[in-house]
Amino acid sequence: MSAEESSAQVLTPAGLEQLLTVLRQRGYRTLGPTIREGVIAYDEIACVQDLPCGWTDEQSGGHYRLRHRDDRALFGYAVGPHSWKQFLHPPRQRLWSARRDGETLQVRCEPPGEHRLALIGVRACELRAIAIQDRVLLGTAPGDPHYRARRTDTFIVAVNCTLAGSTCFCASMHSGPQVTGGFDLALTELTTTASSAFVLQAGTSTGRAVLEQVPHRAASAAETAAARALIEHTAEHMGRQLPSDDLPQLLLRSLEHPRWSEVADRCLACGNCTMVCPTCFCSTVEDSSDLIGQETTRTRRWDSCFTVDFAHLHGGSVRQSTRSRYRQWMTHKLATWHQQFGSSGCVGCGRCITWCPVGIDITEEVTAIRASEPT
Amino acid sequence: MHAPKPRLAVWKFASCDGCQLSLLDCEPQLLTLGEALEIAYFPEAATVPMRGHYDLSLIEGSISTPRDAERIVAVRRRSTRLVTLGACATAGGIQALRNFADSGEFIAAVYAHPAYIRTLATSTAIAEHVPVDFELRGCPVNKRQLLEVISAFLAGRRPAIATHSVCIECKSLGRACLLVAHGTACLGPVTQAGCGAICPAFQRGCYGCYGPHESPNTLALSRALATLGLDRAHLLRLYRSFNANAEAFRTESARHAR
Ligand code: SF4
Ligand code: SF4
Ligand code: SF4
């Protein structure tokens, strides 16, 4: 038995309720999965009742539906359309504004503000994605002050996946389904038809301090074994596979592969894949001045490598074709990201597959390129 | 010492006046607008005859009569910058549905004395008749975008108007995709952003009011919509609305016409 497992605890739904209360008392904004617009979205959650109790999802390329489970599981689904980046690296962020004052200019940088975010129900792939965005946005000095402000005091309650969605492939990307670090508390939900219990581990001293304020008990050997078995079962039942060890080499020697044109015939260049991807971080800035030229504001907003403007250099966009834009997206995620940030840019969450309106599947595209590689 | 204010004109061609109303709807900013510009010609707000040269002409409406085809040339000659507003001026508008039919039949059916009607067989975008400096999309245009274009003109900078898909706007607002999560037909993936994804926010698929985006793949979207159960008649109606005559929508609708 490992040290972690020997220290495993058990939390009941009432304990989870208390955990949310304690986090809110400590000044955290508690964010987590909840049903909204017919999907499991991430939003403010005040109590356990706000969680998607007894719900699961059905996912495939370009398809998502909520379904009832026959139990009262609180985390019995895979990831939905949202990712935590919408809170940590929000879609719009004002950066600075300037005001003309006679002959002088007053420049006001947007203060990053104070944020205490508690993220409830973060999956292994999402923890990996957050770690990637940390590297991208904070890894090189000076880093992004707005992201830093949101990450400085993030409390993370992770959840081990006890079910793999049919577009999930985290096991291939070595990023799940078991959480391995980067959390304050981690839960594994053991569900019976009547209720749930959570096998729980603390990952940080803050996590342990919070746990002190929440009723819990030591886990039995049977409970830890059940939790471990559930995670193993999830790992063995991934919806998709993507053998990933040679991807950079494979893709970078296939830049002229005919498959890129074939996928471009299907791709809408709509950008949905990059919007839902938890690691995509690209943004652009917009300047706007008022009518009388007194005030101007610079705003950062999410951008996508699928827009024409994204690759606008002097004289025009260097990626006019959807072929070149799709190739940029996929080779960046799976190949050049390694050189740039020291890991894959894909954590195997499957969102880009489910939320692509035409169901383009990154694993299928790689498989097609691999299968027809000129030998 | 004050430099003379730039002179603004707002022109109406074949249209419903909705875009001009978007301008009038900018109430809190209208006073500032009056400070920044001389509103020299704006029949919707006040009747003043056309006179002199205009620094900025905003054009609402499409060209659908021989008289308007001449008038737009005169307007262009009097304007330093010419910006078209809305689906009518940028694509021909809903009235461009005539382009797909025999306009003579419509005239005979609608007017008691068809002989008095002098109209063109087609309704077309302003840019098909004269050079246009900027095209602002929408049916009607979004007032925030309209103020942005005017502000950009006054500052001599490029307007911050995105030409990408509605989806990017929809997702940036945290909306769940209707197409994927509910099987609702949505033109968002081929339509230009700008409206703030209003329809998806109210669980309605995008109607394509802002016309095709910068690189629309309508064929691929139609294939996806067909698998959701849309038949050819439905697809035809989807593309033949306010921006029926915008090239990508026109070509796509032709594929579904009988
Ligand atoms: S590329 Fe797709 S599967 Fe990989 S992390 Fe991004 S959204 Fe998830
Ligand atoms: S791959 Fe899919 S989601 Fe991504 S841009 Fe193309 S059509 Fe849109
Ligand atoms: S609802 Fe429509 S606009 Fe929004 S993401 Fe889906 S397809 Fe795009």
Side-chain angles (χ1 to χ4, degrees), chain B residues 33-45:
Chain B
L33 193 67
E35 268 175 55
L37 291 153
E38 178 198 341
I39 304 180
Y41 183 81
F42 191 0
E44 182 82 26

Side-chain angles (χ1 to χ4, degrees), chain B residues 125-175:
Chain B
I126 301 299
E128 293 192 30
H129 300 265
V130 294
V132 169
D133 295 295
F134 190 82
E135 293 189 305
L136 185 64
R137 306 280 198 83
C139 187
V141 293
N142 170 308
K143 57 181 180 181
R144 195 193 52 75
Q145 285 203 324
L146 178 56
L147 287 170
E148 164 59 18
V149 169
I150 298 174
S151 306
F153 160 79
L154 288 168
R157 63 175 172 82
R158 183 179 166 212
I161 303 287
T163 54
H164 57 58
S165 69
V166 175
C167 298
I168 288 184
E169 209 169 24
C170 186
K171 282 281 156 57
S172 297
L173 293 164
R175 308 251 74 104

Side-chain angles (χ1 to χ4, degrees), chain A residues 108-145:
Chain A
R108 179 180 172 276
C109 285
E110 189 70 13
E114 280 191 33
H115 304 267
R116 279 169 83 83
L117 305 178
L119 314 182
I120 315 295
V122 182
R123 308 305 176 111
C125 62
E126 300 185 304
L127 279 176
R128 189 63 65 88
I130 292 171
I132 289 175
Q133 290 215 328
D134 285 354
R135 261 198 312 281
V136 172
L137 296 166
L138 300 175
T140 323
D144 170 16

Side-chain angles (χ1 to χ4, degrees), chain A residues 169 273 276-280 329 333 345-353 362:
Chain A
F169 56 102
C273 46
V276 296
C277 177
T279 70
C280 278
W329 136 258
K333 292 271 101 157
C346 172
V347 298
C349 72
R351 284 182 181 87
C352 58
I353 305 173
I362 189 170

Side-chain angles (χ1 to χ4, degrees), chain A residues 23-39:
Chain A
L23 289 171
R24 290 165 80 85
Q25 279 164 355
R26 285 175 168 241
Y28 288 102
R29 196 177 147 207
T30 43
L31 301 165
T34 193
I35 305 276
R36 215 184 70 192
E37 298 172 29
V39 300

Side-chain angles (χ1 to χ4, degrees), chain A residues 263 266-274 306 322 326 329 352 355-360:
Chain A
V263 67
R266 287 176 282 134
C267 175
L268 304 164
C270 63
N272 270 307
C273 46
T274 59
F306 281 93
T322 299
Y326 187 87
W329 136 258
C352 58
W355 298 97
C356 170
V358 292
I360 291 172

